Amino acid sequence: METSESTEVKRALSTPEQNSVPADKASDKERDLGFGSSLSRRSNFRLLNRDGTFNVQRHKINWWKSLYSYDALVFMPAWRFFLVVMFWYVLLNSLFAGAYVLCGPDALHGNAGVPDFMRAFFFSVHTFATIGYGNVAPNGMAANLLVTCESLVGLTGFALVAGLIFARFSRPTAHIIYSQNAIISPYGDGTAFEFRIMNGRENELVEVQATITMGRFEVINGMRQRRFYPLELERRKVAFFPLNWTIVHPIDERSPLRGWDEAMLRDSEAEFLILLTAIDETFAQTVHNRGSYTAQEIVWGARFLPLVDESDGGTPILRLDRFHDYEAVGKG
């Protein structure tokens, strides 16, 4: 049975004239998360993807910088990075191989058991990587000048690639695992919005802080606009993070979720944007992680299953296989 408060909220959503309360512009500016009016007004659009990446593709005018800038090489996926390195490695050795061939048939002495171009290519590889087996050697001024140039290019190239690999692997990042669903669960005398997180790596995170902002469409002055509301949390910060953390937003009289049901959240295209900040003990640096839940990813009337099994005087057992599991407890 619907409460009078829930009925009033539904009426406000469906009747623009009754929901034409002037918005507090100063408050709205403080709540703006930086998505801008263009994205905030777009309907049927998720602001953050499930993995925490922004749902925006940046099109750069200079395609070369977008592919081979320092930032692109550090942040691109590992498989793409190694493909780029392999491409340039093969290209440079092929160019030097062509240059050796152009120096004439006597530019290289020695038999490698392969055609002339491939002999020049493999000789270039030996020079580039400072291998030097000795079965093929340069002959003449032109070939030796090429060897001098290639050795410099090889040393510089390996230094650059080594620096990029070090930057990629030494960059501190947080790998936070989110529960597949958020839930609306019984909490005290009411209900709460909850989800679980845990550290997906073996490193230690301390001083973990959580910030949640809910975005939803509302009819303001006859226009359907997305508004953002920061959610108060039962606990905004934990000093240590050895297990999991269930982040709880109590739905009380101060909550923007008060009086809202599942259908209303879906109609308003509600999205819960999450920002986590922590200190990585390994690097002693601050790391960040983002995530989000849409209204379709929220289970109403549920409770997460406990993860810790009590043992008789022994070490408690953390049942990570239950991390995403919940049980129905009836509509809250």
Side-chain angles (χ1 to χ4, degrees):
M1 181 175 180
E2 293 187 356
T3 63
S4 59
E5 186 175 6
S6 176
T7 304
E8 291 178 0
V9 176
K10 286 185 175 180
R11 188 181 298 115
L13 282 175
S14 59
T15 310
E17 292 77 14
Q18 296 181 3
N19 197 28
S20 299
V21 180
D24 185 351
K25 295 183 179 181
S27 178
D28 286 345
K29 288 182 179 180
E30 292 177 358
R31 294 172 180 170
D32 183 19
L33 300 181
F35 291 102
S37 59
S38 176
L39 295 183
S40 297
R41 294 174 182 174
R42 180 170 298 187
S43 183
N44 299 318
F45 179 77
R46 184 170 191 162
L47 298 175
L48 280 181
N49 295 317
R50 192 68 176 88
D51 60 357
T53 57
F54 295 110
N55 194 16
V56 177
Q57 290 185 354
R58 301 179 62 181
H59 177 70
K60 297 183 179 180
I61 299 177
N62 191 331
W63 66 272
W64 178 267
K65 287 186 177 181
S66 66
L67 290 176
Y68 301 113
S69 67
Y70 174 80
D71 290 337
L73 291 170
V74 170
F75 290 101
M76 68 174 53
W79 65 268
R80 184 178 172 186
F81 172 77
F82 286 108
L83 283 180
V84 169
V85 172
M86 181 63 69
F87 168 78
W88 282 103
Y89 185 76
V90 173
L91 177 62
L92 288 174
N93 282 290
S94 298
L95 292 176
F96 276 106
Y100 288 124
V101 171
L102 291 177
C103 289
D106 297 327
L108 297 177
H109 283 179
N111 183 17
V114 294
D116 290 344
F117 179 81
M118 294 306 299
R119 180 183 65 165
F121 178 84
F122 290 125
F123 173 74
S124 174
V125 170
H126 299 166
T127 304
F128 200 90
T130 66
I131 298 173
Y133 287 118
N135 58 328
V136 179
N139 180 47
M141 180 61 70
N144 280 282
L145 286 176
L146 277 176
V147 169
T148 304
C149 294
E150 186 173 8
S151 62
L152 178 61
V153 172
L155 290 173
T156 305
F158 276 109
L160 290 174
V161 172
L164 288 171
I165 292 177
F166 179 80
R168 290 177 61 89
F169 284 95
S170 64
R171 179 171 57 93
T173 57
H175 177 48
I176 302 296
I177 301 176
Y178 294 80
S179 56
Q180 292 178 353
N181 297 95
I183 62 174
I184 302 295
S185 175
Y187 178 82
D189 296 331
T191 57
F193 169 81
E194 303 178 3
F195 62 93
R196 287 204 287 212
I197 62 172
M198 69 176 180
N199 188 3
R201 293 181 177 152
E202 297 297 327
N203 64 328
E204 297 295 336
L205 298 178
V206 296
E207 299 293 330
V208 184
Q209 302 183 49
T211 302
I212 305 178
T213 303
M214 180 188 66
R216 70 186 179 201
F217 278 97
E218 298 179 2
V219 179
I220 303 173
N221 297 329
M223 297 181 59
R224 195 167 186 261
Q225 301 179 13
R226 193 193 300 264
R227 296 195 66 189
F228 296 97
Y229 296 90
L231 301 185
E232 293 293 331
L233 302 181
E234 173 200 43
R235 177 182 297 177
R236 187 173 295 275
K237 175 180 177 181
V238 292
F240 306 107
F241 192 38
L243 304 175
N244 69 292
W245 179 17
T246 300
I247 299 178
V248 179
H249 163 65
I251 303 178
D252 52 23
E253 63 278 358
R254 298 173 299 176
S255 171
L257 287 173
R258 183 174 176 83
W260 286 64
D261 58 23
E262 182 176 3
M264 296 164 63
L265 281 183
R266 288 175 179 262
D267 292 340
S268 66
E269 301 180 35
E271 182 176 357
F272 297 81
L273 310 172
I274 305 157
L275 174 63
L276 301 176
T277 305
I279 298 177
D280 189 328
E281 272 194 345
T282 306
F283 298 95
Q285 294 187 26
T286 302
V287 293
H288 305 276
N289 191 269
R290 297 181 299 269
S292 78
Y293 291 98
T294 62
Q296 289 78 9
E297 296 167 341
I298 300 176
V299 179
W300 289 69
R303 178 185 290 114
F304 284 121
L305 295 180
L307 293 183
V308 179
D309 281 347
E310 299 295 336
S311 57
D312 298 332
T315 303
I317 301 175
L318 185 64
R319 294 289 303 275
L320 296 181
D321 56 317
R322 300 178 187 169
F323 179 75
H324 301 287
D325 296 341
Y326 55 85
E327 60 182 358
V329 293
K331 294 290 183 180

